[in-house]
Amino acid sequence: MALTGRAALIAALASVPVGVWDPSWTGILAVNAPLAVACACDFALAAPVRRLGLTRSGDASARLGETADVTLTVSNPSGRPLRARLRDAWPPSSWQPGTETAASRHSLAVPAGERRRVTTRLRPTRRGDRHADRVTIRSYGPLGLLTRQGTHRVPWTVRVLPPFTSRKHLPSKLSRLRELDGRTSVLTRGEGTEFDSLREYVPGDDTRSIDWRATARQSTVAVRTWRPERDRHILLVLDTGRTSAGRVDDAPRLDAAMDAALLLAALASRAGDRVDLLAYDRRVRALLQGHTAGDVLPSLVNAMATLEPELVETDARGLAATTLRSAPRRSLVVLFTTLDAAPIEEGLLPVLPQLTQRHTVLVASVADPHVSRMAQARGHTDAVYEAAAAAQAQSERRHIADQLRRHGVTVVDATPDELPPALADAYLELKAAGRL
């Protein structure tokens, strides 16, 4: 007997005049026999919950910040109509705070022998896999006095993918890539490493690009145009150790690194380069290799979806060894990590020569914009102290970056919004200079 039935019975008993009250159950039933019969009939006419058939369909993935619709089909094989309230339970991070109650509860009416569908709209607040919990159904009789209640397990998983907000920068970066690649009317003079074509010299061209043999065969001065080399190998290395868990603008540093990595992967795949992914802290968390340009971006997004920062110190020697095994030939290694002093000086710097001897290394780091705001603060004593602390932190980051550059490493240090386009520009500059 559900609470609604008990409450109705207690309310009815409370309404009996004091003069006819009999505290024994016999007296209660004698006085309230019509109500008891009504409750029994109501309970008997409520559709059974355990016999219901439930299946799911709908979205199996969604980008972070977008919605996913999961449809629950309820089949009623019994001979009684189903009047019910249904709760489709999911983890709390499947909805925006405060919206779970309205999104997960549904009213339902299913005639005997038929089926109906209800849709639960999820709006996840975290990356990763969200697994459906249980479906609780409360079946009401015609009078609503008593209910039947039961739960069903109906498995379903929605994978929440990285949002890839930096996609907006891709058209401008592709435009610059086409300039480097010689596919637009504006050629980048004297850059690249593969010969593209000959054209007539114009004032301002680099004299080193003059083709003297071709000039001797014609009446005008001919210059060579170049295009970047294609089919280069790029290995994106995500440091998933404890420093990637630090929150910047209310999101982990790892999420900002992923966004920058996705933009670079999209750009490099369009340039004809091969892109692989390695996520590492003390062991390999993800390794993606050998994908074609057409499916590399969906594969990267899917692999990144379930990555989470691990609260352990990254094993720099293991990371370097795994990187060398994953990139046997000369490659561009893009390492997404912190510029904090201890992890770099004690971890990365001792093993960096192993990487730079074989590969071109680029370190991308997520800077905290709050530190920049603190450095500009003035007006009261606390603000001055905060500005001094921020200036010291910025100085330490510049010192670490200079140490890396002395080892031949390209360093990109920028805020989450600025890191993706800055990293793409660094890649294009390396490509134009023939360093890939």
Side-chain angles (χ1 to χ4, degrees):
M1 183 180 295
L3 181 59
T4 54
R6 292 174 182 168
L9 183 57
I10 292 171
L13 294 176
S15 65
V16 177
V18 177
V20 295
W21 175 260
D22 185 345
S24 69
W25 279 105
T26 305
I28 293 175
L29 293 177
V31 173
N32 298 279
L35 178 60
V37 171
C39 289
C41 293
D42 199 43
F43 183 79
L45 291 174
V49 174
R50 296 185 182 277
R51 293 176 57 190
L52 298 176
L54 284 78
T55 58
R56 289 190 186 275
S57 60
D59 296 331
S61 65
R63 291 193 180 278
L64 184 64
E66 298 179 354
T67 59
D69 291 340
V70 180
T71 300
L72 191 67
T73 302
V74 182
S75 301
N76 180 15
S78 72
R80 285 163 280 178
L82 173 69
R83 306 171 188 85
R85 287 284 293 169
L86 179 149
R87 179 175 182 260
D88 190 5
W90 290 74
S93 58
S94 302
W95 291 281
Q96 297 290 334
T99 64
E100 185 270 342
T101 300
S104 65
R105 287 167 169 77
H106 309 274
S107 295
L108 188 64
V110 185
E114 297 187 16
R115 61 185 178 182
R116 294 291 186 269
R117 295 182 177 90
V118 294
T119 298
T120 301
R121 175 159 291 181
L122 310 179
R123 193 178 183 89
T125 58
R126 291 179 56 188
R127 285 183 299 100
D129 290 340
R130 296 292 168 269
H131 302 283
D133 196 356
R134 66 193 69 185
V135 177
T136 303
I137 300 177
R138 179 174 290 178
S139 173
Y140 291 85
L143 301 177
L145 295 176
L146 297 181
T147 63
R148 301 171 185 263
Q149 181 168 305
T151 60
H152 291 257
R153 294 283 184 177
V154 192
W156 192 263
T157 300
V158 174
R159 173 156 291 187
V160 186
L161 307 173
F164 195 12
T165 56
S166 62
R167 186 191 294 270
K168 61 188 176 185
H169 299 291
L170 187 57
S172 63
K173 303 309 174 187
L174 288 175
S175 176
R176 186 179 173 194
L177 176 65
R178 285 192 292 270
E179 292 179 7
L180 294 180
D181 209 18
R183 288 198 291 264
T184 65
S185 59
V186 180
L187 290 175
T188 306
R189 295 189 288 266
E191 296 181 343
T193 55
E194 287 187 356
F195 173 74
D196 183 59
S197 61
L198 292 172
R199 61 172 175 80
E200 185 177 346
Y201 175 86
V202 296
D205 282 341
D206 189 345
T207 56
R208 292 174 296 180
S209 64
I210 297 176
D211 190 318
W212 295 107
R213 290 187 179 182
T215 299
R217 294 194 296 267
Q218 57 188 39
S219 59
T220 59
V221 178
V223 295
R224 295 183 294 269
T225 61
W226 305 88
R227 55 193 169 105
E229 291 189 50
R230 304 176 71 84
D231 195 28
R232 294 301 166 204
H233 181 217
I234 299 173
L235 179 61
L236 307 174
V237 182
L238 292 173
D239 177 359
T240 55
R242 64 169 182 84
T243 56
S244 67
R247 301 190 73 82
V248 177
D249 282 348
D250 200 32
R253 277 190 167 90
L254 182 60
D255 285 30
M258 288 180 182
D259 195 39
L262 289 173
L263 179 63
L264 178 57
L267 180 62
S269 62
R270 297 285 187 92
D273 294 335
R274 183 164 62 89
V275 182
D276 293 340
L277 170 71
L278 169 66
Y280 190 93
D281 41 73
R282 287 189 175 274
R283 63 181 180 87
V284 176
R285 302 291 176 177
L287 180 60
L288 210 64
Q289 293 178 305
H291 287 269
T292 62
D295 67 351
V296 65
L297 197 60
S299 300
L300 285 175
V301 169
N302 193 57
M304 289 178 177
T306 57
L307 289 177
E308 294 293 343
E310 301 292 332
L311 300 182
V312 296
E313 196 70 42
T314 299
D315 177 11
R317 293 188 181 277
L319 186 147
T322 307
T323 298
L324 293 174
R325 288 196 301 270
S326 304
R329 64 185 180 93
R330 186 163 188 82
S331 309
L332 171 63
V333 175
V334 183
L335 174 59
F336 296 87
T337 189
T338 181
L339 286 183
D340 294 346
I344 296 295
E345 294 177 343
E346 299 175 12
L348 183 60
L349 286 179
V351 301
L352 196 56
Q354 302 176 30
L355 297 175
T356 54
Q357 284 176 2
R358 187 183 299 181
H359 303 298
T360 301
V361 180
L362 190 157
V363 170
S365 183
V366 181
D368 191 345
H370 182 62
V371 175
S372 300
R373 293 191 292 267
M374 286 175 57
Q376 299 171 1
R378 296 295 187 273
H380 53 83
T381 305
D382 290 344
V384 172
Y385 279 111
E386 290 177 356
Q392 182 178 359
Q394 291 174 329
S395 176
E396 290 177 353
R397 290 180 72 89
R398 287 192 295 267
H399 174 68
I400 294 299
D402 290 340
Q403 285 185 285
L404 292 172
R405 292 188 181 102
R406 284 196 289 270
H407 284 77
V409 175
T410 302
V411 179
V412 178
D413 183 25
T415 60
D417 290 338
E418 298 170 350
L419 182 62
L423 180 60
D425 288 339
Y427 161 77
L428 291 172
E429 289 169 7
L430 290 172
K431 202 169 187 64
R435 292 182 58 191
L436 299 186

